[in-house]
Amino acid sequence: MIEKPPVLEGLEEKYQLYLGIPRHLIPWYPTIDAAKCVGCKECMNFCRDAVYGYDAAARKVFVEHPWHCQVYCQSCTHACNKDAITFQDRREVKAAIRALREQFPPA
C-alpha cells in the first residue's frame, strides 16, 4: 500500500499537493507590504484561488490562505499598482522543491 504524503488538515484537496509534495512545505506565497497596500482589493478580485482576505478595520488586504497560491504564479503582482505584493526568490523555491523531491519522489 502506498502511503499518502502528510498534508495540512482542512486544506481543500486541490491545494494539498504540488507534484506529489505536500503544498505547505513549499515556500511559495505572496507577502504584502502593509505600508504600500492601499486596500483597493484588486489582488483579491484578480486571484481565483482566494489567497487574500480583507481586514475592514485596517482597510488592508492580507494573505489569508497562503497554501492556496499556485506555485510560481505571480499574476496578482500585476493587479497591484502600488507594488505591495512580493514573492520569494524563484531560485530558492526551486532549490527547496529539488530537496523535497528526494523525500517525496514522483510516483
Side-chain angles (χ1 to χ4, degrees), residues 61-98:
V61 174
F62 65 97
V63 178
E64 185 170 19
H65 302 288
W67 312 126
H68 286 197
C69 187
Q70 299 298 314
V71 177
Y72 300 126
C73 180
Q74 293 179 291
S75 298
C76 59
T77 60
H78 304 293
C80 180
N81 63 7
K82 299 297 180 185
D83 295 325
I85 303 170
T86 58
F87 283 83
Q88 291 77 353
D89 184 275
R90 281 178 179 253
R91 291 171 294 198
E92 292 174 16
V93 174
K94 284 182 181 183
I97 289 173
R98 275 194 294 277

Side-chain angles (χ1 to χ4, degrees), residues 43-59:
C43 55
M44 289 181 71
N45 296 333
F46 183 84
C47 182
R48 61 183 172 87
D49 288 302
V51 170
Y52 300 104
Y54 185 72
D55 181 340
R59 297 175 62 179

Side-chain angles (χ1 to χ4, degrees), residues 2-56:
I2 298 173
E3 189 175 319
K4 186 176 178 183
V7 296
L8 287 180
E9 268 188 52
L11 194 60
E12 292 176 56
E13 187 173 345
K14 68 180 182 177
Y15 299 119
Q16 291 179 355
L17 300 173
Y18 174 76
L19 300 176
I21 300 169
R23 176 60 184 89
H24 68 280
L25 299 178
I26 301 170
W28 184 263
Y29 45 83
T31 300
I32 298 179
D33 182 337
K36 291 181 179 180
C37 178
V38 296
C40 68
K41 300 188 217 176
E42 287 299 320
C43 55
M44 289 181 71
N45 296 333
F46 183 84
C47 182
R48 61 183 172 87
D49 288 302
V51 170
Y52 300 104
Y54 185 72
D55 181 340

